[in-house]
Amino acid sequence: STDDTNKGMAPDSTIISMKVLNSAGSGTTANLISGIDWCVNNASIFNISVISMSLGTSSLFTSYCDDNDALLTSSIANAIAKNITVVAATGNADSTTGIASPASITNVTSVGGVTKADAMDFNRNSITDLLAPGVSITSTKKGGGFESLSGTSMSAPHVAGAFALLRQYKRLENSTILTPAQIQDALNDTGKQIDDTSGSGLFFSRINIYAALLSLDKFAPNVTFVAPTPANNSNATINSTDSYFFINLTSNEVLS
């Protein structure tokens, strides 16, 4: 749901909803695997490029938990092999050492959250991949309309939208299909560095989509201005109302 004010991260994206939890917010790993597998099997039909999961276990993991659920790990690996990014929320228990599964699985892009002032919040640890705003975020409301919500369930869709935008940009630019790892690296390398402030010594990248886009745009013009001098402006015409001078400008592509 969007309107002229609340357009979301990637407003022209098409969203396919997979119901894997019940009305109380609970579900089984088997249902989650079925949802991921459906996306993998139908990726070509529906042009699925990102899976966003605002869900997680109550148990938290301090390191990668691939061995904890081999079937889920395999399902996610199949998605990555199909060039589908898998994004998951880290959870909201304010842990500085543990994050929920499936965010704690190796191939998943795990997303923690910050306030709009870039203050740390929610679960994070050394295997957390990216941060995005997650406090007082305008979100869709059950029954229609919008409301303000907080949690990594707000942060994860920010990152999923960022992946969709960057992938689509490069595809339209020169038919390049970026991998999940390439997009994640761009967001990590260009994001704002946020200090954990918990004493862990960790820093995280809060996504900056425009900066990431520029880093991926190898065709962005490199423009250099050279200050004019009297020698190269000897033909300038100056009168009482107007001043004219020449500027030397060089670029690595044709400018229009």
Side-chain angles (χ1 to χ4, degrees):
S1 177
T2 62
D3 57 23
D4 289 340
T5 301
N6 303 298
K7 292 183 178 297
M9 291 296 294
D12 292 330
S13 297
T14 299
I15 298 175
I16 295 177
S17 299
M18 303 300 297
K19 183 175 175 60
V20 299
L21 303 178
N22 61 25
S23 59
S26 298
T28 65
T29 301
N31 285 342
L32 179 57
I33 291 172
S34 294
I36 295 171
D37 289 348
W38 188 95
C39 292
V40 171
N41 294 331
N42 292 276
S44 299
I45 299 172
F46 295 102
N47 192 29
I48 298 172
S49 61
V50 184
I51 296 172
S52 183
M53 297 184 287
S54 293
L55 48 79
T57 57
S58 56
S59 299
L60 302 182
F61 298 87
T62 58
S63 59
Y64 292 117
C65 68
D66 298 23
D67 294 336
N68 188 65
D69 197 315
L71 292 178
L72 179 56
T73 297
S74 177
S75 179
I76 289 169
N78 289 337
I80 297 297
K82 196 83 170 185
N83 216 24
I84 300 172
T85 299
V86 181
V87 175
T90 58
N92 306 328
D94 293 326
S95 173
T96 59
T97 58
I99 62 175
S101 176
S104 52
I105 291 176
T106 301
N107 285 312
V108 174
T109 298
S110 55
V111 181
V114 292
T115 69
K116 294 177 182 179
D118 283 328
M120 288 295 309
D121 207 338
F122 313 119
N123 294 350
R124 68 273 192 185
N125 64 2
S126 61
I127 62 171
T128 300
D129 294 310
L130 293 166
L131 301 179
V135 178
S136 300
I137 304 301
T138 299
S139 181
T140 51
K141 183 179 182 180
K142 183 178 179 180
F146 299 89
E147 62 182 334
S148 179
L149 296 173
S150 299
T152 51
S153 290
M154 300 294 104
S155 307
H158 272 97
V159 171
F163 271 81
L165 288 172
L166 295 176
R167 176 178 163 124
Q168 178 76 341
Y169 176 80
K170 291 302 291 184
R171 188 184 72 83
L172 293 177
E173 181 192 51
N174 59 8
S175 299
T176 296
I177 303 299
L178 296 174
T179 66
Q182 287 174 318
I183 300 175
Q184 182 172 307
D185 286 346
L187 290 168
N188 259 311
D189 293 343
T190 61
K192 179 179 179 180
Q193 294 300 293
I194 306 296
D195 187 347
D196 187 6
T197 69
S198 69
S200 66
L202 296 174
F203 283 80
F204 304 97
S205 287
R206 191 266 288 145
I207 61 169
N208 181 330
I209 298 174
Y210 183 59
L213 184 150
L214 291 179
S215 76
L216 292 168
D217 186 7
K218 66 179 181 180
F219 296 109
N222 179 18
V223 178
T224 303
F225 289 96
V226 179
T229 64
N232 61 28
N233 282 278
S234 58
N235 294 322
T237 301
I238 302 175
N239 58 40
S240 59
T241 58
D242 300 295
S243 297
Y244 303 91
F245 57 86
F246 300 103
I247 297 177
N248 295 326
L249 183 150
T250 59
S251 173
N252 63 345
E253 69 174 41
V254 176
L255 300 177
S256 59

